Amino acid sequence: SYVLTQPPSVSVAPGQTARITCGGNNIGSKSVHWYQQKPGQAPVLVVYDDSDRPSGIPERFSGSNSGNTATLTISRVEAGDEADYYCQVWDSSSDPVVFGGGTKLTVL
Amino acid sequence: EVQLVESGGGLVQPGRSLRLSCAASGFTFDDYAMHWVRQAPGKGLEWVSGISWNSGSIGYADSVKGRFTISRDNAKNSLYLQMNSLRAEDTALYYCAKDRGSEVGSGSCYNYWGQGTLVTVSS
C-alpha cells in the first residue's frame, strides 16, 4: 500500500515560515490534501488539491506538490497555528485513502 | 451550517458488535459521499470506510474489511457503521466526515468533520 512520510515535528518562531513536508513515491502525480488538528478538536481541511484553500482559511496557508514531495507552507506563523498537520491522498491500492503520520507544529 | 453528530460509541468486549450513527444537517445529504475516519488514542488519522451518495460505491480499509459495514439512509440524513468482531486495536475516536464530492474516489477529501464518538474495545 502507498505510504506518506511526514516529519514528526517542526518548530518555528512566531512570524517566521513553517514548511511541513509529505513524502511519497511520485506524489506529484496525485492530489494532496492537508488537515489541521488542534488538541481535542476534529481535523479541519486547510489545503486541498495541492494548493487550493477552502473558504475561511487564511492566505498564510499554501501548498505545493512536485516529484516525491508535497509541502504545506504556513507564512507569518501565529501561536494559534500550533497543531498537528496531516497530509492525505487517494491511491488506487487496497487501502485507497492514505494519511501521513502527522506533524506536530510547535510555535516557539 | 453543516453539522455532523456521531453517536453509538462506548465500551464493548472483544468479539462483540457496535453500531455507530452520524446525523447530518445543514447540507443536501444525498448529494455527497460520506466516510468514517478513526483515530486511536494519541495516534494519527486512519480512514475506515466510505460510501458514495447513492450507496453504489463502497470502500473499506483492509484492517476492517469483512468485519465492518457502512451504510446510509438518505431519507433520514444518516450514516451508519456496523462494527462486528471488534478487536482491541479498533479502539479509537470515530469521526464521520463529509466528502467534497458525490463519489468515493480520487477526488475524495473531507471538508467537514463531526466531533467523533469514542469506541473502546476491552474486556
Side-chain angles (χ1 to χ4, degrees):
Chain A
S1 59
Y2 193 77
V3 175
L4 294 175
T5 301
Q6 297 183 236
S9 63
V10 168
S11 299
V12 63
Q16 299 303 303
T17 297
R19 294 178 179 85
I20 298 172
T21 59
C22 176
N25 184 34
N26 198 26
I27 195 174
S29 66
K30 303 179 183 298
S31 287
V32 179
H33 319 294
W34 291 91
Y35 302 89
Q36 174 195 68
Q37 186 179 34
K38 296 181 179 179
Q41 297 185 19
V44 172
L45 181 68
V46 293
V47 167
Y48 66 97
D49 289 347
D50 298 340
S51 59
D52 290 335
R53 276 177 292 103
S55 60
I57 301 301
E59 292 183 6
R60 301 185 297 105
F61 289 81
S62 62
S64 62
N65 183 20
S66 179
N68 293 319
T69 305
T71 303
L72 173 68
T73 300
I74 309 171
S75 304
R76 303 180 298 284
V77 166
E78 304 172 356
D81 297 331
E82 194 163 272
D84 294 325
Y85 291 84
Y86 296 90
C87 56
Q88 177 245 315
V89 301
W90 171 275
D91 183 70
S92 57
S93 63
S94 56
D95 273 340
V97 179
V98 184
F99 287 96
T103 298
K104 181 177 181 58
L105 176 67
T106 299
V107 181
L108 300 171
Chain B
E1 178 194 6
V2 172
Q3 283 198 315
L4 299 170
V5 180
E6 303 93 338
S7 60
L11 175 63
V12 62
Q13 293 179 327
R16 304 298 291 264
S17 298
L18 210 57
R19 189 194 196 208
L20 305 184
S21 299
C22 171
S25 62
F27 65 102
T28 305
F29 184 71
D30 55 11
D31 276 351
Y32 295 95
M34 297 293 296
H35 299 254
W36 290 99
V37 178
R38 69 185 180 184
Q39 187 170 34
K43 302 298 183 182
L45 301 172
E46 180 189 16
W47 178 76
V48 174
S49 182
I51 185 169
S52 66
W53 68 280
N54 64 351
S55 304
S57 177
I58 287 175
Y60 298 97
D62 280 351
S63 59
V64 306
K65 204 170 292 182
R67 300 187 298 122
F68 290 10
T69 302
I70 192 172
S71 62
R72 64 189 296 162
D73 185 336
N74 287 344
K76 294 183 178 179
N77 288 352
S78 293
L79 175 72
Y80 306 102
L81 185 68
Q82 177 67 41
M83 304 186 296
N84 298 333
S85 303
L86 282 162
R87 306 167 179 167
E89 54 264 37
D90 295 319
T91 294
L93 187 63
Y94 283 73
Y95 291 104
C96 166
K98 172 187 169 294
D99 201 312
R100 62 162 168 175
S102 60
E103 297 292 339
V104 176
S106 60
S108 284
C109 68
Y110 314 116
N111 52 7
Y112 291 96
W113 299 63
Q115 287 303 308
T117 186
L118 182 62
V119 173
T120 303
V121 184
S122 175
S123 55

